[in-house]
């Protein structure tokens, strides 16, 4: 038997150990351990206990996420783990049920280690990212005129203050980005070691006036294997394509390197279009990224920005949060959005996970309707709602949690 209850701070060491077991990681690296504990101290914490021993855990970190038209509070669901010896006992379902009782944000989000699990709990795949490689073994030039203003390397000490306004402008342009305070910058973005490759340098930060920046790491050529020197892009933001062109050209010019790698970039990244020689740019993979759930359906829909007016009735299924289930009339005008209960006949029927998938504008509702996952009762409704959900830039999330 197990008991689901709040996890006190005194048991956070057990959480770290449990997560290391579940995700096949070491837990003895001091910087990573302290960063993990720092995040857990902020979280709403729900655990499954067998006596005094923690056998399952789920946390929710209070975040703020950019959405079309602004930003909203969001529960960042993290460290969802069950001891391998205690699977298939209903522990995860019990913990998730308790979590919904103790968080009050209109949205919840997570990264899914196993995608088949979280649709059952109402999460939909809300955005994607691409892995990109740029060959820089010969001079790299953009097709457009790059911004000519000077570049400046910024110290890690001053970086949060310098980068915050640039990042906030980027987040306002593109839904899915996480609000950062100074501590987040230092512990998450500018941490000394790279999580995936400890042979990379500490972060380097370069800004172009007050219009863009890049955070990157480097690794020298391995003479034994012949592996060329690498520039690893952590994030790159620019207020215009000309700024982005200048930053990519700078990265390609770094001495003793012949490749630029970016593990995570927006699916509509401009670098492929910017390259004068398109063969220098390769998209290696595209992956599912953030999974989103509407925890308070009317609040989430009313507080999102919309591209154009629409008036539809949605019949929503939500097996985990009954307060979301039923028929809702969504009315969007030029000035306001309202989402209220109704007895009217539905235009669309869908599960709450599909609302999570389309909420940031990254998944076409018409595609879901074509598959039959969404049932369209009034022809043309999915297309009209897609136009209203539309966003200028593809949603993207660079931060994990």
């Amino acid at each position: 038997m197990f008991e689901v209850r709040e996890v006190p701070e005194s048991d956070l060491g057990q959480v770290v150990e449990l997560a290391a077991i579940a995700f096949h990681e070491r837990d003895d690296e001091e910087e990573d351990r302290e960063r993990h504990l720092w995040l857990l101290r902020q979280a709403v914490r729900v655990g499954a206990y067998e006596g005094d021993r923690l056998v399952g855990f789920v946390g929710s970190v209070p975040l703020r996420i950019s959405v079309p038209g602004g930003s909203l509070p969001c529960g960042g669901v993290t460290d969802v783990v069950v001891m391998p010896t205690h699977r298939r006992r209903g522990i995860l379902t019990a913990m998730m049920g308790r979590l919904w009782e103790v968080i009050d944000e209109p949205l919840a989000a997570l990264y899914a280690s196993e995608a088949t699990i979280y649709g059952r709990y109402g999460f939909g795949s809300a955005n994607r990212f691409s892995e990109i490689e740029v060959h820089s073994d010969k001079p790299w030039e953009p097709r457009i005129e790059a911004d000519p203003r000077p570049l400046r390397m910024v110290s890690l000490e001053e970086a949060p203050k310098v980068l915050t306004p640039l990042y906030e402008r980027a987040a306002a342009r593109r839904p899915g980005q996480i609000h950062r305070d100074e501590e987040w910058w230092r512990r998450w973005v500018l941490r000394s070691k790279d999580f995936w490759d400890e042979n990379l340098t500490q972060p380097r930060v370069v800004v172009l006036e007050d219009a863009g920046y890049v955070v990157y790491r480097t690794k020298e050529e391995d003479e034994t294997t012949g592996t060329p020197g690498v520039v690893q892009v952590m994030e790159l933001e620019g207020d215009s394509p000309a700024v982005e062109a200048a930053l990519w050209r700078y990265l390609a010019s770094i001495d003793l390197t012949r490749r630029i790698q970016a593990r995570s970039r927006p699916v509509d990244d401009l670098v492929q279009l910017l390259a004068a020689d398109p063969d220098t740019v390769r998209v290696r993979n595209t992956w599912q990224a953030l999974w989103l759930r509407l925890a308070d359906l009317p609040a989430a829909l009313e507080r999102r920005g919309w591209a154009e007016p629409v008036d539809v009735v949605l019949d929503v299924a939500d097996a985990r949060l009954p307060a979301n289930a039923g028929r809702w009339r969504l009315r969007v005008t030029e000035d306001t959005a309202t989402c209220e209960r109704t007895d009217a006949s539905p235009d669309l029927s869908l599960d709450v996970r599909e609302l999570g998938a389309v909420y940031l504008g990254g998944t076409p509702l018409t595609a879901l309707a074509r598959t039959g996952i969404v049932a369209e009762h009034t022809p043309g409704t999915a297309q009209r709602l897609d136009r209203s959900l539309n966003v200028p830039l593809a949603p993207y999330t660079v931060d994990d949690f």
Side-chain angles (χ1 to χ4, degrees):
M1 294 292 293
F2 63 89
E3 178 189 4
V4 174
R5 62 177 188 262
E6 180 184 354
V7 176
E9 192 167 324
S10 58
D11 283 352
L12 293 188
Q14 287 196 63
V15 178
V16 174
E17 292 166 7
L18 181 59
I21 292 169
F23 297 124
H24 314 297
E25 298 170 353
R26 298 182 65 93
D27 64 352
D28 57 357
E29 209 293 319
E30 188 60 32
E31 182 186 18
D32 289 342
R33 184 180 178 87
E34 179 51 39
R35 186 167 61 92
H36 195 173
L37 289 170
W38 172 79
L39 191 70
L40 291 170
R41 291 187 192 105
Q42 303 174 58
V44 172
R45 302 181 295 266
V46 174
Y49 284 86
E50 194 174 65
D52 292 332
R53 186 186 185 194
L54 193 70
V55 296
F57 179 83
V58 58
S60 177
V61 182
L63 303 175
R64 194 164 189 92
I65 188 171
S66 63
V67 302
S71 64
L72 283 178
C74 178
V77 180
T78 187
D79 284 321
V80 185
V81 291
V82 175
M83 185 73 77
T85 53
H86 288 66
R87 297 179 62 225
R88 305 191 186 281
R89 300 188 191 182
I91 291 176
L92 178 56
T93 297
M95 292 192 303
M96 293 296 288
R98 178 66 62 86
L99 186 68
W100 301 132
E101 296 173 5
V102 295
I103 66 172
D104 57 6
E105 292 94 348
L107 300 172
L110 55 76
Y111 284 92
S113 56
E114 294 186 64
T116 57
I117 296 174
Y118 292 100
R120 301 200 303 265
Y121 296 98
F123 289 85
S125 178
N127 61 19
R128 304 174 72 83
F129 68 87
S130 293
E131 180 183 351
I132 291 175
E133 183 174 275
V134 179
H135 291 268
S136 56
D137 48 353
K138 56 184 178 181
W140 190 91
E141 292 295 333
R143 293 180 62 189
I144 65 172
E145 184 176 349
D147 192 302
R149 288 177 289 179
L151 298 165
R152 177 170 71 95
M153 187 164 285
V154 173
S155 72
L156 296 183
E157 182 62 31
E158 65 175 324
K161 181 179 179 180
V162 173
L163 298 184
T164 292
L166 301 173
Y167 174 79
E168 288 179 349
R169 289 207 300 269
R173 292 191 295 266
R174 190 183 292 277
Q177 297 282 42
I178 304 299
H179 172 78
R180 296 171 178 169
D181 59 17
E182 183 172 343
E183 195 78 0
W184 189 279
W185 275 104
R186 296 196 187 282
R187 291 183 181 271
W188 241 247
V189 184
L190 303 173
R191 60 183 182 261
S192 62
K193 289 185 179 179
D194 183 74
F195 181 79
W196 302 103
D197 186 350
E198 63 180 18
N199 293 318
L200 289 164
T201 65
Q202 66 267 43
R204 316 294 188 196
V205 179
V206 167
V207 298
L208 190 154
E209 292 284 336
D210 62 346
Y213 71 91
V214 60
V215 180
Y216 66 95
R217 302 171 188 263
T218 57
K219 183 166 61 174
E220 66 181 350
E221 181 174 356
D222 188 326
E223 296 181 358
T224 303
T225 63
T227 305
V230 170
V231 177
Q232 186 70 243
V233 177
M234 316 313 292
E235 57 187 76
L236 183 152
E237 298 288 357
D239 287 348
S240 70
V243 172
E244 292 188 32
L247 292 170
W248 284 108
R249 185 174 65 183
Y250 162 74
L251 295 170
S253 72
I254 295 175
D255 288 340
L256 306 180
T257 68
R258 288 187 284 159
R259 284 185 302 161
I260 306 168
Q261 294 179 336
R263 299 190 193 102
S264 176
R265 294 297 297 160
V267 294
D268 58 352
D269 195 306
L270 293 179
V271 66
Q272 286 182 286
L273 299 177
L274 289 172
D277 181 357
D279 287 339
T280 61
V281 182
R282 292 285 186 271
V283 177
R284 294 300 183 190
N285 288 294
T286 299
W287 309 92
Q288 292 181 339
L290 202 70
W291 288 62
L292 198 69
R293 195 204 206 284
L294 277 61
D296 182 338
L297 184 148
L301 294 179
E302 289 176 350
R303 295 165 67 180
R304 179 200 193 275
W306 298 85
E308 65 178 55
V310 71
D311 189 343
V312 296
V313 175
L314 307 174
D315 189 5
V316 179
D318 192 337
R320 307 290 176 177
L321 292 176
N324 285 337
R327 293 183 185 178
W328 299 89
R329 185 174 185 182
L330 173 65
R331 286 184 285 191
V332 177
T333 68
E334 295 290 347
D335 303 314
T336 62
T338 59
C339 185
E340 299 173 331
R341 291 282 185 186
T342 182
D343 293 325
S345 298
D347 299 305
L348 285 177
S349 294
L350 71 171
D351 192 90
V352 71
R353 68 180 290 183
E354 272 61 71
L355 278 178
V358 305
Y359 183 80
L360 295 179
T363 303
L365 193 58
T366 47
L368 297 175
R370 287 203 307 272
T371 67
I373 293 172
V374 170
E376 187 178 51
H377 308 296
T378 303
T381 301
Q383 188 173 47
R384 288 190 292 116
L385 196 49
D386 264 347
R387 291 198 300 269
S388 194
L389 287 160
N390 184 57
V391 291
L393 298 177
Y396 171 64
T397 309
V398 65
D399 288 315
D400 58 2
F401 47 83

